[in-house]
């Protein structure tokens, strides 16, 4: 986590220790649900090992993957986390994970005690906003093949760690279409 922070702001050794003191370390087994739709997201999660994912369920019970979080990434239901209202996302552990939890309350304390952490979290939110906007534009403009190609190039390590069904959901296609599309791409 300290390496992630150092890419954006500089903390003294004392501030680093203070920041870490506001987090809680947890280990989770694969398939653990960390957050359910309808609950209030009280923590953001920083992944140090493993993979987490966020998703929503439609009225037919079909999963729609919103994001993945690998080591060095944060994940939360941002609507719920920021508003402290019931959210719409599930957050699940994809593979055994070690995670640092930061409560909303402790994040607010960090803003007060180490003012430059506000800049750090602002940068994270801005980067997330840009990435989500780009993904929305890609989903509106690109073919499924182009979205898969972009995903494969941007996250080459994830291709081998994730179930095909989840990749299909992330790029916005059914698992059946995804299988046919991959078979077609392999023939090329």
């Amino acid at each position: 986590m300290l390496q992630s922070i150092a890419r954006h702001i500089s903390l003294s050794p004392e501030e680093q220790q203070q920041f870490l003191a506001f987090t809680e370390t947890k280990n989770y087994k694969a398939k653990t649900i960390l957050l359910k739709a309808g609950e209030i997201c009280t923590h953001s999660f920083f992944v140090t090992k493993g993979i987490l994912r966020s998703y929503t369920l439609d009225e037919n019970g079909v999963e729609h993957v919103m994001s993945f979080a690998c080591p060095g990434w944060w994940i939360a239901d941002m609507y719920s986390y920021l508003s402290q209202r019931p959210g719409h996302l599930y957050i699940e552990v994809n593979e055994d994970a070690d995670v640092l939890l930061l409560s909303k309350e402790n994040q607010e304390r960090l803003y007060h005690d180490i003012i430059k952490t506000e800049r750090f979290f602002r940068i994270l939110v801005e980067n997330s906003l840009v990435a989500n906007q780009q993904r929305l534009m890609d989903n509106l403009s690109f073919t499924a093949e182009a979205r898969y190609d972009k995903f494969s190039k941007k996250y080459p390590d994830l291709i081998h760690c994730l179930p095909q069904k989840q990749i299909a959901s992330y790029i916005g296609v059914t698992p059946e279409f995804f299988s046919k599309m991959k078979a077609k791409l392999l023939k090329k």
Side-chain angles (χ1 to χ4, degrees):
M1 179 186 283
L2 295 176
Q3 291 173 342
S4 172
I5 294 168
R7 285 194 290 267
H8 304 291
I9 63 171
S10 177
L11 296 178
S12 70
E14 296 81 21
E15 290 170 331
Q16 290 175 3
Q17 292 310 308
Q18 187 177 4
F19 190 107
L20 291 176
F22 279 109
T23 66
E24 180 182 357
T25 303
K26 293 271 191 162
N27 305 55
Y28 295 105
K29 294 288 184 196
K31 306 290 184 205
T32 303
I33 304 286
L34 304 180
L35 182 72
K36 293 179 183 176
E39 295 178 347
I40 296 174
C41 183
T42 58
H43 292 82
S44 58
F45 307 92
F46 181 83
V47 180
T48 58
K49 179 185 144 222
I51 299 173
L52 276 57
R53 73 183 168 110
S54 67
Y55 63 93
T56 186
L57 294 174
D58 68 19
E59 63 277 356
N60 297 318
V62 176
E63 286 184 14
H64 299 279
V65 176
M66 303 301 294
S67 64
F68 297 103
C70 302
W73 295 8
W74 293 85
I75 193 168
D77 179 331
M78 290 306 291
Y79 165 77
S80 179
Y81 187 72
L82 295 173
S83 69
Q84 288 299 282
R85 294 185 175 157
H88 307 285
L89 296 179
Y90 292 82
I91 298 178
E92 182 177 3
V93 179
N94 249 38
E95 62 180 40
D96 292 356
D98 297 336
V99 178
L100 295 175
L101 283 72
L102 178 63
S103 70
K104 174 74 170 150
E105 180 182 333
N106 281 346
Q107 186 171 337
E108 292 296 331
R109 285 184 184 156
L110 278 170
Y111 291 163
H112 179 267
D113 294 354
I114 309 173
I115 293 171
K116 52 191 153 182
T117 59
E118 275 194 309
R119 180 173 190 273
F120 171 70
F121 286 106
R122 178 184 51 80
I123 291 168
L124 291 183
V125 170
E126 287 173 353
N127 289 344
S128 176
L129 178 63
V130 169
N132 283 320
Q133 180 177 323
Q134 185 62 53
R135 181 166 176 225
L136 177 60
M137 290 187 311
D138 290 351
N139 284 343
L140 294 171
S141 307
F142 290 177
T143 65
E145 290 88 354
R147 292 192 306 270
Y148 176 67
D149 183 59
K150 188 169 185 176
F151 180 85
S152 299
K153 288 178 178 165
K154 191 169 184 178
Y155 309 111
D157 297 336
L158 283 181
I159 294 295
H160 308 292
C161 300
L162 299 173
Q164 300 295 298
K165 177 178 150 183
Q166 290 178 10
I167 297 171
S169 175
Y170 182 84
I171 66 169
V173 299
T174 64
E176 297 79 17
F177 180 88
F178 187 70
S179 291
K180 290 176 187 173
M181 180 187 75
K182 279 193 68 178
K184 184 176 142 186
L185 290 171
L186 289 173
K187 288 180 184 177
K188 288 183 180 181

